[in-house]
Amino acid sequence: MRIVGLAVAGLVAAFLVGRGIAEFWVVDYASPASYQHSWGGPSLAGVFAVHTGPGLIIVIMTAVWLYRRVQRRRSPG
């Protein structure tokens, strides 16, 4: 069950990171009407916060986890 849970969590995390990256190319910066009714709208900052925020959090948490894991392996004892 744990492997299935980790696989599902990994797929969701990959989707959120991919969606966050793609959002920078999907948004039409010249036309506020294109993103004003999206989640986080009507401001562009709000749209990016809602659509890229979860992916950014996942990337930061993964980096912290990897850093701590490497530090544990390097520490003596």
XYZ file of all heavy atoms in Angstrom:
586
model
N 0.821 -1.194 0.000
C 0.000 0.000 0.000
C 0.862 1.255 0.000
O 0.475 2.253 -0.593
C -0.859 0.004 1.256
C -2.337 -0.313 1.132
S -3.037 -0.285 -0.482
C -4.237 0.942 -0.289
N 1.983 1.190 0.701
C 2.857 2.356 0.782
C 3.413 2.721 -0.596
O 3.499 3.899 -0.943
C 3.996 2.079 1.756
C 4.922 3.248 1.903
C 6.004 2.975 2.905
N 6.932 4.100 2.904
C 7.830 4.316 3.810
N 7.959 3.472 4.808
N 8.621 5.344 3.742
N 3.766 1.715 -1.378
C 4.314 1.961 -2.716
C 3.253 2.616 -3.604
O 3.551 3.540 -4.359
C 4.837 0.654 -3.330
C 6.061 0.181 -2.548
C 5.173 0.838 -4.795
C 6.569 -1.170 -2.964
N 2.019 2.150 -3.493
C 0.935 2.738 -4.279
C 0.727 4.200 -3.868
O 0.570 5.084 -4.716
C -0.366 1.926 -4.119
C -1.538 2.634 -4.769
C -0.192 0.544 -4.688
N 0.749 4.469 -2.585
C 0.590 5.835 -2.082
C 1.708 6.752 -2.551
O 1.462 7.893 -2.952
N 2.937 6.247 -2.490
C 4.071 7.045 -2.962
C 4.004 7.282 -4.464
O 4.360 8.364 -4.944
C 5.388 6.365 -2.585
C 5.760 6.407 -1.109
C 6.993 5.556 -0.847
C 5.985 7.829 -0.655
N 3.552 6.294 -5.211
C 3.417 6.464 -6.659
C 2.363 7.513 -6.997
O 2.592 8.375 -7.866
C 3.064 5.126 -7.306
N 1.236 7.472 -6.317
C 0.184 8.464 -6.547
C 0.672 9.854 -6.146
O 0.472 10.835 -6.875
C -1.109 8.084 -5.793
C -2.113 9.213 -5.811
C -1.706 6.826 -6.384
N 1.342 9.957 -5.006
C 1.875 11.248 -4.566
C 2.916 11.770 -5.551
O 2.967 12.974 -5.832
C 2.480 11.119 -3.170
N 3.737 10.889 -6.082
C 4.735 11.296 -7.072
C 4.100 11.809 -8.354
O 4.563 12.794 -8.936
N 3.041 11.151 -8.803
C 2.338 11.595 -10.005
C 1.671 12.956 -9.787
O 1.724 13.830 -10.665
C 1.296 10.564 -10.425
C 1.842 9.274 -11.017
C 0.711 8.271 -11.237
C 2.556 9.561 -12.321
N 1.049 13.136 -8.638
C 0.423 14.421 -8.335
C 1.482 15.519 -8.249
O 1.302 16.622 -8.785
C -0.394 14.342 -7.027
C -0.840 15.713 -6.559
C -1.591 13.428 -7.208
N 2.607 15.224 -7.608
C 3.690 16.209 -7.500
C 4.248 16.555 -8.880
O 4.480 17.734 -9.178
C 4.795 15.672 -6.600
N 4.450 15.568 -9.723
C 4.956 15.833 -11.077
C 3.968 16.675 -11.874
O 4.362 17.588 -12.614
C 5.234 14.520 -11.794
N 2.673 16.403 -11.724
C 1.659 17.197 -12.407
C 1.701 18.652 -11.943
O 1.655 19.582 -12.756
C 0.266 16.611 -12.170
C -0.842 17.521 -12.615
C -1.139 17.651 -13.963
C -1.564 18.260 -11.703
C -2.157 18.495 -14.377
C -2.575 19.107 -12.108
C -2.871 19.228 -13.451
N 1.773 18.867 -10.623
C 1.766 20.230 -10.091
C 3.010 21.014 -10.509
O 2.920 22.203 -10.834
C 1.625 20.209 -8.569
C 0.257 19.754 -8.054
C 0.287 19.612 -6.540
C -0.831 20.706 -8.491
N 4.160 20.362 -10.512
C 5.385 21.034 -10.949
C 5.307 21.343 -12.442
O 5.631 22.458 -12.877
C 6.633 20.187 -10.610
C 7.881 20.759 -11.253
C 6.816 20.105 -9.098
N 4.852 20.394 -13.233
C 4.715 20.618 -14.670
C 3.708 21.713 -14.986
O 3.932 22.550 -15.864
N 2.621 21.715 -14.258
C 1.609 22.757 -14.456
C 2.156 24.125 -14.089
O 1.889 25.120 -14.772
C 0.395 22.435 -13.600
C -0.683 23.473 -13.637
C -1.826 23.062 -12.750
N -2.680 24.206 -12.497
C -3.536 24.272 -11.525
N -3.671 23.256 -10.704
N -4.273 25.323 -11.351
N 2.929 24.184 -13.021
C 3.530 25.455 -12.611
C 4.500 25.989 -13.647
O 4.535 27.188 -13.918
N 5.272 25.108 -14.258
C 6.215 25.531 -15.294
C 5.461 25.946 -16.554
O 5.760 26.972 -17.165
C 7.216 24.397 -15.587
C 8.122 24.181 -14.367
C 8.046 24.708 -16.830
C 8.973 22.929 -14.451
N 4.464 25.175 -16.940
C 3.715 25.460 -18.166
C 2.922 26.759 -18.067
O 2.673 27.408 -19.090
C 2.773 24.303 -18.477
N 2.548 27.144 -16.872
C 1.725 28.339 -16.697
C 2.406 29.593 -17.249
O 1.744 30.500 -17.746
C 1.393 28.527 -15.215
C 0.338 29.562 -14.950
C -1.043 29.158 -15.446
O -1.311 27.955 -15.580
O -1.860 30.057 -15.711
N 3.722 29.625 -17.207
C 4.442 30.794 -17.709
C 4.282 30.952 -19.223
O 4.406 32.054 -19.749
C 5.925 30.715 -17.339
C 6.165 30.933 -15.875
C 6.431 29.870 -15.042
C 6.102 32.201 -15.328
C 6.647 30.057 -13.688
C 6.305 32.413 -13.983
C 6.579 31.332 -13.160
N 4.029 29.860 -19.941
C 3.849 29.931 -21.394
C 2.374 29.964 -21.791
O 2.054 30.379 -22.894
C 4.532 28.749 -22.070
C 6.007 28.928 -22.095
C 6.729 29.629 -23.023
C 6.953 28.434 -21.156
N 8.064 29.586 -22.691
C 8.234 28.856 -21.559
C 6.847 27.664 -19.998
C 9.386 28.543 -20.860
C 7.993 27.361 -19.302
C 9.247 27.786 -19.732
N 1.496 29.513 -20.920
C 0.081 29.435 -21.251
C -0.604 30.796 -21.112
O -1.495 31.128 -21.886
C -0.614 28.387 -20.344
C -2.111 28.420 -20.508
C -0.073 27.010 -20.641
N -0.175 31.585 -20.140
C -0.816 32.867 -19.869
C -0.495 33.861 -20.980
O 0.650 33.984 -21.409
C -0.350 33.416 -18.501
C -0.805 34.842 -18.304
C -0.866 32.555 -17.388
N -1.519 34.576 -21.423
C -1.337 35.652 -22.401
C -1.144 36.948 -21.617
O -2.099 37.554 -21.142
C -2.560 35.734 -23.311
C -2.412 36.774 -24.395
O -1.296 37.298 -24.576
O -3.416 37.057 -25.068
N 0.101 37.367 -21.478
C 0.438 38.528 -20.659
C -0.187 39.817 -21.197
O -0.468 40.733 -20.447
C 1.955 38.702 -20.578
C 2.655 37.560 -19.894
C 3.291 36.574 -20.628
C 2.670 37.458 -18.519
C 3.937 35.518 -20.008
C 3.307 36.411 -17.880
C 3.944 35.438 -18.634
O 4.567 34.408 -18.010
N -0.395 39.908 -22.479
C -0.910 41.124 -23.099
C -2.415 41.288 -22.906
O -2.939 42.377 -23.087
C -0.580 41.124 -24.588
N -3.098 40.225 -22.539
C -4.555 40.272 -22.422
C -5.009 39.838 -21.027
O -5.174 38.646 -20.766
C -5.186 39.359 -23.479
O -6.578 39.301 -23.285
N -5.225 40.794 -20.120
C -5.697 40.435 -18.779
C -7.024 39.680 -18.787
O -7.311 38.935 -17.857
C -5.844 41.780 -18.074
C -4.942 42.696 -18.812
C -4.951 42.222 -20.232
N -7.817 39.858 -19.824
C -9.098 39.140 -19.890
C -8.891 37.636 -20.011
O -9.769 36.855 -19.641
C -9.906 39.643 -21.085
N -7.718 37.208 -20.483
C -7.468 35.771 -20.655
C -7.258 35.050 -19.329
O -7.464 33.854 -19.244
C -6.267 35.540 -21.574
O -5.076 35.950 -20.933
N -6.825 35.760 -18.307
C -6.588 35.108 -17.014
C -7.415 35.702 -15.883
O -7.318 35.249 -14.745
C -5.094 35.147 -16.647
C -4.485 36.525 -16.604
C -4.653 37.346 -15.512
C -3.718 36.997 -17.664
C -4.086 38.606 -15.458
C -3.147 38.248 -17.627
C -3.333 39.054 -16.518
O -2.776 40.294 -16.477
N -8.247 36.682 -16.157
C -8.960 37.364 -15.084
C -9.979 36.464 -14.387
O -10.245 36.624 -13.213
C -9.551 38.648 -15.631
C -10.994 38.864 -15.543
C -11.373 40.194 -16.183
O -10.624 40.778 -16.935
N -12.534 40.652 -15.871
N -10.524 35.463 -15.082
C -11.507 34.569 -14.454
C -10.886 33.244 -14.005
O -11.597 32.345 -13.574
C -12.665 34.308 -15.421
C -13.451 35.545 -15.728
N -14.184 36.220 -14.793
C -13.584 36.252 -16.877
C -14.747 37.273 -15.332
N -14.396 37.319 -16.609
N -9.580 33.126 -14.099
C -8.895 31.924 -13.609
C -8.819 31.968 -12.095
O -9.012 33.012 -11.472
C -7.481 31.856 -14.177
O -7.497 31.689 -15.556
N -8.492 30.826 -11.498
C -8.287 30.800 -10.051
C -7.173 31.765 -9.713
O -6.130 31.770 -10.348
C -7.886 29.416 -9.586
C -8.993 28.413 -9.587
C -10.263 28.572 -10.029
C -8.903 27.076 -9.114
N -10.966 27.420 -9.866
C -10.154 26.478 -9.305
C -7.884 26.335 -8.561
C -10.409 25.168 -8.947
C -8.147 25.029 -8.208
C -9.399 24.464 -8.394
N -7.362 32.574 -8.711
C -6.366 33.538 -8.297
C -6.518 34.870 -8.998
O -5.861 35.837 -8.628
N -7.361 34.928 -10.022
C -7.561 36.164 -10.768
C -8.327 37.169 -9.948
O -8.802 36.869 -8.871
N -8.393 38.364 -10.366
C -8.108 38.921 -11.671
C -6.661 39.384 -11.834
O -6.280 39.771 -12.929
C -9.058 40.114 -11.762
C -9.202 40.587 -10.366
C -9.112 39.335 -9.525
N -5.840 39.325 -10.804
C -4.461 39.802 -10.953
C -3.552 38.674 -11.448
O -3.756 37.499 -11.141
C -3.919 40.334 -9.627
O -3.679 39.273 -8.741
N -2.538 39.055 -12.207
C -1.584 38.073 -12.729
C -0.797 37.427 -11.591
O -0.532 36.230 -11.609
C -0.638 38.746 -13.722
C 0.374 37.853 -14.409
C -0.334 36.772 -15.221
C 1.277 38.673 -15.315
N -0.455 38.220 -10.580
C 0.276 37.670 -9.427
C -0.548 36.602 -8.712
O -0.013 35.571 -8.288
C 0.644 38.792 -8.464
N -1.832 36.829 -8.581
C -2.697 35.844 -7.939
C -2.813 34.566 -8.741
O -2.805 33.463 -8.186
N -2.899 34.704 -10.053
C -2.975 33.530 -10.918
C -1.699 32.710 -10.800
O -1.738 31.484 -10.673
C -3.237 33.952 -12.387
C -3.081 32.775 -13.328
C -4.617 34.562 -12.523
N -0.549 33.381 -10.825
C 0.717 32.656 -10.676
C 0.855 32.040 -9.288
O 1.384 30.951 -9.147
C 1.908 33.559 -10.967
C 2.194 33.720 -12.423
C 2.522 34.948 -12.951
C 2.130 32.641 -13.287
C 2.784 35.100 -14.296
C 2.391 32.771 -14.637
C 2.716 34.014 -15.140
N 0.385 32.733 -8.256
C 0.472 32.183 -6.906
C -0.330 30.892 -6.786
O 0.133 29.913 -6.184
C -0.025 33.212 -5.886
N -1.521 30.879 -7.371
C -2.375 29.702 -7.272
C -1.886 28.563 -8.165
O -1.904 27.406 -7.767
C -3.838 30.080 -7.619
C -4.704 28.851 -7.785
C -4.406 30.989 -6.556
N -1.427 28.892 -9.367
C -1.086 27.853 -10.329
C 0.361 27.370 -10.209
O 0.648 26.215 -10.524
C -1.340 28.354 -11.759
C -2.791 28.509 -12.062
N -3.453 27.701 -12.945
C -3.720 29.375 -11.590
C -4.721 28.063 -13.006
N -4.908 29.081 -12.193
N 1.284 28.226 -9.780
C 2.679 27.802 -9.672
C 3.123 27.601 -8.222
O 4.145 26.967 -7.985
C 3.632 28.814 -10.336
O 3.539 30.060 -9.654
C 3.316 28.993 -11.791
N 2.369 28.129 -7.280
C 2.727 28.016 -5.864
C 2.895 26.588 -5.363
O 3.912 26.256 -4.745
N 1.929 25.699 -5.620
C 2.090 24.319 -5.148
C 3.317 23.621 -5.732
O 4.017 22.897 -5.025
C 0.800 23.629 -5.605
C -0.193 24.729 -5.713
C 0.588 25.921 -6.173
N 3.596 23.854 -7.011
C 4.785 23.263 -7.628
C 6.058 23.798 -7.012
O 7.013 23.050 -6.785
N 6.078 25.096 -6.734
C 7.252 25.709 -6.095
C 7.468 25.145 -4.688
O 8.596 24.842 -4.294
C 7.089 27.219 -6.050
C 8.241 28.025 -5.486
C 9.494 27.823 -6.323
C 7.873 29.488 -5.420
N 6.399 24.964 -3.958
C 6.503 24.380 -2.612
C 7.047 22.952 -2.686
O 7.899 22.555 -1.884
C 5.135 24.426 -1.903
C 4.778 25.872 -1.570
C 5.133 23.555 -0.654
C 3.364 26.067 -1.086
N 6.580 22.180 -3.658
C 7.063 20.808 -3.816
C 8.547 20.796 -4.141
O 9.314 20.004 -3.579
C 6.247 20.078 -4.898
C 4.834 19.808 -4.382
C 6.922 18.778 -5.320
C 3.862 19.350 -5.437
N 8.993 21.673 -5.035
C 10.409 21.730 -5.396
C 11.251 22.115 -4.187
O 12.303 21.505 -3.928
C 10.626 22.710 -6.570
C 12.097 23.000 -6.785
C 10.007 22.163 -7.841
N 10.819 23.100 -3.418
C 11.573 23.534 -2.227
C 11.626 22.420 -1.193
O 12.695 22.136 -0.627
C 10.956 24.813 -1.638
C 11.201 25.994 -2.585
C 11.514 25.103 -0.251
C 10.444 27.247 -2.216
N 10.492 21.768 -0.937
C 10.477 20.690 0.064
C 11.349 19.516 -0.365
O 12.025 18.901 0.470
C 9.047 20.235 0.320
C 8.223 21.242 1.084
S 6.499 20.770 1.317
C 6.659 19.252 2.203
N 11.362 19.206 -1.656
C 12.214 18.129 -2.160
C 13.678 18.487 -2.015
O 14.497 17.643 -1.618
C 11.876 17.823 -3.632
O 10.487 17.488 -3.720
C 12.718 16.688 -4.169
N 14.035 19.730 -2.297
C 15.427 20.174 -2.148
C 15.871 20.101 -0.690
O 16.983 19.655 -0.397
C 15.590 21.588 -2.684
N 15.018 20.522 0.229
C 15.344 20.454 1.659
C 15.506 19.001 2.092
O 16.447 18.650 2.820
C 14.267 21.171 2.499
C 14.427 20.868 3.984
C 14.310 22.663 2.248
N 14.608 18.125 1.648
C 14.688 16.707 2.006
C 15.980 16.083 1.484
O 16.654 15.347 2.209
C 13.473 15.972 1.452
C 13.500 14.508 1.704
C 13.232 13.880 2.881
C 13.840 13.493 0.762
N 13.373 12.514 2.719
C 13.749 12.255 1.424
C 14.204 13.507 -0.575
C 14.013 11.058 0.800
C 14.457 12.306 -1.201
C 14.363 11.103 -0.519
N 16.323 16.398 0.224
C 17.569 15.863 -0.338
C 18.795 16.405 0.393
O 19.744 15.669 0.658
C 17.662 16.181 -1.825
C 16.745 15.372 -2.730
C 16.791 15.927 -4.151
C 17.128 13.909 -2.707
N 18.790 17.683 0.726
C 19.906 18.288 1.451
C 20.093 17.602 2.804
O 21.211 17.254 3.183
C 19.660 19.784 1.637
C 20.717 20.463 2.460
C 21.955 20.779 1.908
C 20.486 20.789 3.795
C 22.934 21.400 2.663
C 21.450 21.405 4.555
C 22.674 21.717 3.992
O 23.640 22.320 4.753
N 19.014 17.415 3.535
C 19.105 16.763 4.849
C 19.569 15.316 4.725
O 20.328 14.827 5.556
C 17.762 16.810 5.555
C 17.408 18.188 6.043
C 16.086 18.172 6.756
N 15.769 19.495 7.271
C 14.635 19.803 7.839
N 13.682 18.893 7.971
N 14.423 21.021 8.277
N 19.114 14.648 3.698
C 19.520 13.254 3.489
C 21.018 13.166 3.205
O 21.713 12.303 3.736
C 18.724 12.652 2.343
C 18.982 11.211 2.139
C 18.034 10.638 1.143
N 18.404 9.247 0.902
C 17.784 8.444 0.110
N 16.727 8.879 -0.553
N 18.167 7.209 -0.049
N 21.528 14.064 2.379
C 22.958 14.078 2.063
C 23.761 14.425 3.311
O 24.809 13.821 3.585
C 23.262 15.069 0.912
C 24.735 15.337 0.789
C 22.682 14.548 -0.385
N 23.290 15.367 4.107
C 23.991 15.755 5.333
C 24.031 14.607 6.336
O 25.037 14.421 7.027
C 23.346 16.987 5.966
C 23.531 18.243 5.172
C 24.991 18.573 4.939
O 25.824 18.466 5.828
N 25.305 18.971 3.725
N 22.968 13.831 6.437
C 22.955 12.682 7.350
C 23.969 11.637 6.913
O 24.608 10.991 7.746
C 21.563 12.044 7.378
C 20.663 12.613 8.413
C 19.473 11.709 8.654
N 18.854 11.238 7.435
C 17.684 11.640 6.957
N 17.002 12.544 7.608
N 17.202 11.147 5.843
N 24.123 11.440 5.614
C 25.071 10.434 5.122
C 26.509 10.886 5.325
O 27.405 10.067 5.489
C 24.836 10.142 3.660
C 23.592 9.331 3.437
C 23.477 8.911 2.004
N 22.297 8.068 1.853
C 22.067 7.358 0.785
N 22.878 7.399 -0.237
N 20.987 6.609 0.706
N 26.753 12.183 5.258
C 28.116 12.710 5.411
C 28.558 12.799 6.864
O 29.739 12.771 7.148
C 28.207 14.108 4.807
C 28.210 14.097 3.302
C 28.478 15.474 2.789
N 28.470 15.487 1.347
C 28.562 16.560 0.627
N 28.675 17.739 1.205
N 28.546 16.475 -0.697
N 27.604 12.938 7.779
C 27.988 13.112 9.182
C 28.514 11.801 9.754
O 27.956 10.736 9.518
C 26.788 13.613 9.998
O 25.789 12.641 10.040
N 29.583 11.884 10.538
C 30.139 10.667 11.136
C 29.242 10.161 12.265
O 28.669 10.916 13.020
C 31.496 11.108 11.697
C 31.379 12.580 11.860
C 30.373 13.056 10.873
N 29.141 8.858 12.333
C 28.403 8.230 13.429
C 27.002 8.106 13.108
O 26.085 7.708 13.542
